């Protein structure tokens, strides 16, 4: 269970509170106007943005003292998810051992993960030789290898076209299912939330509201969401 | 890493501050003899003239490079970067071969029955300083020209501006912004140019402060006097260097000078004038180099025996400086990028406020009560060369380190990539290009250094530049030219190897 216990984020006039929890294995979307703090909340959970107050707990353990790399999570950023000077196989290998001294068995797992996301045989390529969709797949393959219990997506597919994005979201759902990961995903598109999440957190007016069932939320949006959706 | 950056920053500050403190302590106040005043006056006067001449002559050259397109233009711009890497002593040997007593110019004058000219004294110092700094000034001003948006020139054309009006509305404002930085940079460099004064200056009418320091240490054995002179040099040179560092917004030796600008070059006499400026500048820069090659080549097979051990010492000093400088610059740049600590920027720039001779004097004062200074000649030279190269290496690395931090720090953190693995897999590959270029620059600067080594070295510690200076002092000019050729070949070779390694690792 991921628990945000009276979490407060503050920075230069920006303020956000969150006090709720999601069950292990849940798939949750974070939606709301830009600047509301969706990415900041994800950053705080990932350990890049220390909260001004409150605690973030995973299975009862306070994540506060842990460095980003030591937290039980994988995060995919909006961009820069791969190192451009390393090959795909190396980029994936970092998910297993950050010093890249991989055993033959670990190399095999890298190959298998590439295969799993449809990038078989591309391990020697560098990110510059790949399309946007392929880069997204590679980042997801690394998440698969890391197999951390939390998967955070900060709109890594925002630059992709609708059909490609739908493919990627389906792959995200599969990866989350295979690793049993709890998914938290920032989006500005209700269709993304409806496609793969069962619960949605509305982030607006300084509050990250408790997760509500996605379908019901969009069927009868509260005023803040209605304003965001332009209805 | 953060504490490492603080430690290195503190070390850089101390390594400058402690020798300066020793100088100030030993000087015990500022009391200058008439000869010292003359040295101060000459130092300032030659720097003013050198700066004015270099910048004044650079304007037409930069303008011609900015608005003309011709085959070999890229090569000419590259040539403008070379004197920064060229050992000063080699440049001086080239000028001696051209303008010296037995040189080509005097031979031609004699053949015409005209009186000869002398390369020694003020005019020699000025010729050498213009040779060394005209390219730097040209590159700085050229960058100014290229920074004028092409749209402005198109607007000027659409309004049918005459060349005079274009100058008044576009070029003069740019020059007003760029020239102070260029002039201040050249001025500061000429204040601390020791090797030129050592060979071409001297005597009551052409002694600089740095030359006077050297003479006080080496010939008068009057360390208090040397310290007093060094204190004056620090006050004058430090102020000028820091002012220039602040005024000059770009380093002037970077790459990327070939942005296309949509300039319709004016025709008529201006075309001829541009051509003349370029031909004269190229000739002035190339002729001394050609003279060194022509004079040195025949002597290469039988160089004097002391050349080879001196070459080995020079290479060892250069490589040791590279390791010290690049390690310090990398740690400082990463620390500054990660924490945004502005004082680290200042710590890395601080050595610019001093000079090899001043730091050398301070270290001499510190060492001399305990050890014969000659025994520490090479380690001290490594240390001083490393310090003097640090500002340049840091300036190359700092922006790249900031970009690295902005682009990949979060990803590295989220993957738990830290320590040696982060250095090996992220930092070194991403920064390979500036690291290689900086290492090459440091190696070339250190190989060519003729400053602190002249203060410390005895017979058995001489580096190659010092051997060349001694050969030329003994009027063994052919051997000096041959050794110069060797020095420049090895310096540029080291630069080329290190820079290339960086590029390859980055590719």
């Amino acid at each position: 269970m991921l628990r945000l216990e009276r979490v407060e984020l503050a920075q230069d006039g920006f303020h956000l509170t969150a006090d709720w929890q999601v069950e292990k294995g849940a798939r949750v979307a974070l939606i709301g106007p830009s600047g509301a703090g969706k990415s900041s909340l994800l950053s705080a959970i990932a350990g890049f943005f220390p909260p001004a107050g409150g605690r973030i707990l995973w299975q009862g353990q306070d994540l506060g003292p842990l460095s980003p790399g030591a937290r039980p999570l994988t995060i995919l950023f909006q961009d820069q998810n791969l190192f451009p000077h390393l090959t795909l196989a190396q980029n994936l290998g970092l998910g297993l051992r950050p010093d890249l001294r991989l055993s033959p068995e670990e190399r095999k797992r890298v190959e298998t993960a590439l295969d799993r996301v449809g990038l078989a045989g591309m391990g020697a390529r560098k990110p510059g030789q790949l399309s946007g969709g392929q880069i997204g797949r590679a980042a997801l393959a690394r998440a698969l290898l890391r197999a951390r219990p939390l998967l955070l997506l900060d709109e890594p597919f925002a630059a992709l076209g609708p059909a490609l994005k739908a493919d990627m979201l389906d792959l995200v759902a599969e990866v989350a299912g295979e690793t049993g990961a709890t998914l938290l995903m920032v989006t500005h598109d209700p269709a993304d939330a409806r496609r793969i999440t069962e619960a949605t957190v509305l982030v607006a007016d300084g509050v990250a509201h408790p997760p509500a069932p996605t379908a019901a939320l969009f069927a009868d949006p509260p005023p803040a969401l209605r304003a965001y959706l332009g209805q | 890493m953060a504490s490492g950056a603080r430690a290195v920053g503190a070390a850089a500050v101390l390594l400058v501050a402690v020798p300066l403190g020793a100088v100030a302590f030993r000087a015990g106040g500022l009391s200058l003899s008439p000869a010292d005043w003359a040295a101060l006056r000459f130092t300032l006067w030659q720097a003013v003239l050198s700066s004015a001449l270099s910048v004044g002559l650079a304007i037409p050259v930069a303008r011609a490079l900015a608005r003309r397109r011709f085959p070999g233009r890229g090569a000419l711009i590259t040539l403008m970067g070379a004197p920064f890497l060229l050992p000063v002593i080699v440049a001086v040997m080239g000028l001696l071969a051209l303008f010296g007593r037995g040189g080509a110019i005097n031979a031609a004058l004699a053949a015409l029955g005209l009186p000869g000219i002398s390369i020694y004294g003020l005019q020699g110092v000025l010729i050498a300083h213009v040779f060394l700094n005209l390219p730097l000034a040209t590159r700085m001003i050229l960058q100014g020209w290229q920074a004028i948006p092409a749209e402005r020139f198109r607007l000027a054309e659409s309004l049918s501006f005459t060349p005079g009006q274009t100058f008044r509305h576009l070029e003069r404002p740019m020059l007003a912004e760029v020239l102070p930085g260029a002039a201040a940079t050249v001025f500061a460099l000429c204040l601390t140019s020791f090797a030129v004064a050592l060979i071409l200056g001297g005597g009551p009418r052409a002694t600089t402060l740095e030359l006077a320091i050297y003479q006080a240490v080496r010939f008068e054995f009057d360390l208090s006097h040397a310290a007093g002179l060094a204190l004056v040099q620090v006050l004058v040179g430090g102020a000028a260097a820091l002012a220039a560092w602040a005024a000059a917004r770009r380093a002037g030796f970077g790459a990327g000078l070939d942005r296309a600008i949509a300039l319709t070059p004016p025709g008529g006499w201006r075309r001829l004038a541009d051509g003349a400026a370029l031909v004269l500048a190229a000739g002035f820069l190339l002729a001394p180099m050609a003279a060194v090659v022509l004079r040195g080549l025949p002597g290469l097979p039988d160089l004097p025996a002391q050349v080879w051990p001196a070459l080995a010492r020079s290479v060892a000093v250069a490589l040791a400086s590279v390791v010290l400088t690049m390690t310090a610059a990398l740690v400082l740049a990463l620390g500054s990028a990660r924490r945004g600590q502005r004082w680290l920027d200042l710590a890395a720039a601080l050595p610019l406020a001093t000079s090899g001779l001043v730091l050398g004097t301070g270290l001499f004062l510190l060492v001399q009560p305990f050890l014969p200074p000659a025994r520490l000649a090479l380690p001290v030279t490594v240390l001083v060369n490393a310090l003097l190269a640090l500002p340049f290496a840091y300036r190359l690395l700092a922006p790249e380190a900031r970009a690295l931090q902005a682009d990949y720090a979060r990803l590295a953190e989220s993957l738990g990539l830290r320590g040696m693995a982060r250095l090996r897999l992220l930092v070194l590959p991403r920064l390979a290009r500036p690291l290689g270029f900086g290492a090459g620059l440091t190696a070339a600067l250190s190989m060519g250094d003729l400053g602190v080594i002249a203060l410390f070295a005895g017979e058995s510690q001489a580096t190659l530049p010092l051997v060349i200076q001694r050969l030329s002092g003994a009027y063994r000019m052919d051997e000096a030219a041959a050794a110069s050729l060797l020095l420049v070949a090895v310096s540029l070779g080291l630069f080329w190897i290190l820079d290339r390694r960086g590029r390859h690792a980055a590719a």
Side-chain angles (χ1 to χ4, degrees), chain A residues 48 69 77 84-85 98-99 146, chain B residues 408 410 413 417 424-425 430:
Chain A
F48 295 110
F77 306 107
H85 59 284
D99 65 359
R146 277 165 65 84
Chain B
Y408 300 112
R410 285 199 315 174
E413 281 296 306
L417 187 58
R424 178 168 57 88
L425 294 171
R430 296 301 304 171

Side-chain angles (χ1 to χ4, degrees), chain B residues 27-339:
Chain B
L30 289 169
S31 64
L32 297 182
S33 72
D36 298 342
W37 277 111
L40 174 59
R41 270 198 307 276
F42 179 75
T43 303
L44 293 172
W45 181 229
Q46 62 82 19
V48 167
L49 288 178
S50 300
S51 173
L53 283 170
S54 301
V55 172
L57 293 172
I59 294 172
V61 181
R63 180 167 54 194
L65 280 172
R67 67 187 181 187
R68 305 287 169 189
R69 292 291 176 277
F70 52 91
R73 178 176 172 274
L76 195 53
I77 292 177
T78 305
L79 175 71
M80 295 286 167
F84 197 75
L85 300 174
L86 190 68
V88 174
I89 180 95
V90 175
V92 173
M93 286 299 129
L95 293 170
L96 276 176
L98 204 59
F99 296 97
R101 228 165 308 225
I105 303 274
N106 275 323
L109 288 174
L112 295 171
L114 293 169
I117 55 165
S118 168
I119 179 80
Y120 296 98
L122 177 62
Q123 66 270 35
V125 171
L126 292 183
I127 290 175
H129 281 167
V130 172
F131 175 83
L132 290 167
N133 295 304
L134 174 67
L136 175 66
T138 302
R139 285 178 74 115
M140 292 178 87
I141 298 169
L142 179 58
Q143 282 183 348
W145 240 289
Q146 293 180 328
I148 300 177
E151 293 78 10
R152 299 267 177 81
F153 283 112
R154 270 188 231 129
L155 179 65
E157 255 181 89
S158 71
L159 296 175
S160 305
F161 276 15
T162 63
Q165 287 165 331
T166 302
F167 177 76
R168 202 172 71 192
H169 295 298
L170 296 184
E171 299 174 328
R172 199 171 61 186
M174 177 279 291
L175 288 173
E177 207 170 304
V178 170
L179 290 189
T185 302
V186 175
F187 178 76
L189 287 172
C190 292
L191 279 184
T192 58
S193 125
F194 167 70
V196 167
L198 175 65
I199 299 169
L200 299 177
R205 293 165 59 87
T207 293
T208 60
L209 282 171
E210 298 228 318
L211 188 53
I213 295 170
Y214 167 75
Q215 286 162 349
V217 172
R218 295 293 292 204
F219 303 122
E220 300 163 17
F221 308 106
D222 186 346
L223 291 182
S224 296
H225 185 207
L229 289 163
L231 191 57
V232 178
Q233 172 72 37
V234 168
L235 296 178
V236 177
L242 288 183
W245 189 253
R249 291 177 305 164
R250 279 176 286 252
F253 49 74
L257 285 167
D258 260 335
R259 198 167 61 82
I261 50 174
L263 264 173
T264 307
W269 67 270
R270 289 188 176 82
R271 193 179 148 83
L272 287 178
D274 283 354
L278 291 173
V279 167
L280 285 175
F284 178 57
L285 294 177
L286 285 173
M289 293 299 87
V292 166
V293 173
L294 288 179
R295 188 147 190 192
L297 264 184
L300 270 185
D302 38 20
L303 279 163
Q306 73 262 38
V307 161
W308 301 109
L311 175 65
R313 281 192 284 271
S314 281
V315 172
V317 164
L319 294 180
S321 304
V322 165
V323 172
L324 268 183
T325 300
M326 296 319 292
T327 308
L330 182 62
V331 172
L332 289 174
L334 291 176
S336 168
R338 204 175 285 192
R339 308 268 149 172

